[in-house]
Amino acid sequence: NGCFTQEIAFTLSTSTEMIPKKSKALLVTMIDFHPGIKSKLRPRKGAKKDTEKLHRALTELNYKVELHLDLDAKEILELYKRVATDEHGEYFVTVISSHGENGFIYGYDGEAVRLADIFTMFDPARCPQLA
């Protein structure tokens, strides 16, 4: 699949000073789906453009943005497990963009990921730095 990470450490402010990023944003977007999956999930044509706009907006708000595309269900859960233990700075924002239904989203492989499984990784007991 076509996953990649892009991190931006600094941005120019209006006064042209270099300001270190104080908060973290994680964007996880499914654009395409494995062609052999049984549910026949169609590519999400506008997802790439939406993700680019969101990335740009968060960067302008001084977030360090980490971007992942087309992850399978297992990779999504592993990513959030890792991120829950990271230092997040002042604020943490995450956006998951995919096909889904009430309470879950689909990974690149067409497998469902329960949103509750992700949310519990960030509860105060497991992720005290965000409490």
Side-chain angles (χ1 to χ4, degrees), residues 71-118:
L71 300 178
D72 65 34
K74 182 179 176 185
E75 291 171 325
I76 292 168
L77 290 171
E78 289 172 355
L79 173 65
Y80 278 97
K81 243 181 247 182
R82 176 188 60 81
V83 170
T85 63
D86 287 352
E87 178 57 44
H88 303 101
E90 200 170 343
Y91 301 101
F92 175 71
V93 173
T94 186
V95 176
I96 305 171
S97 178
S98 183
H99 289 301
E101 296 189 31
N102 193 20
F104 64 90
I105 55 96
Y106 293 111
Y108 169 81
D109 56 356
E111 295 296 318
V113 175
R114 284 179 4 117
L115 293 173
D117 292 342
I118 293 171

Side-chain angles (χ1 to χ4, degrees), residues 10-20 62:
F10 294 94
T11 188
L12 288 174
S13 73
T14 54
S15 65
T16 69
E17 295 176 36
M18 295 299 278
I19 301 174
N62 206 32

Side-chain angles (χ1 to χ4, degrees), residues 28 30 48 60 69 73-76:
V28 179
M30 272 20 90
K48 183 176 182 180
E60 288 173 7
L69 301 176
K74 182 179 176 185
E75 291 171 325
I76 292 168

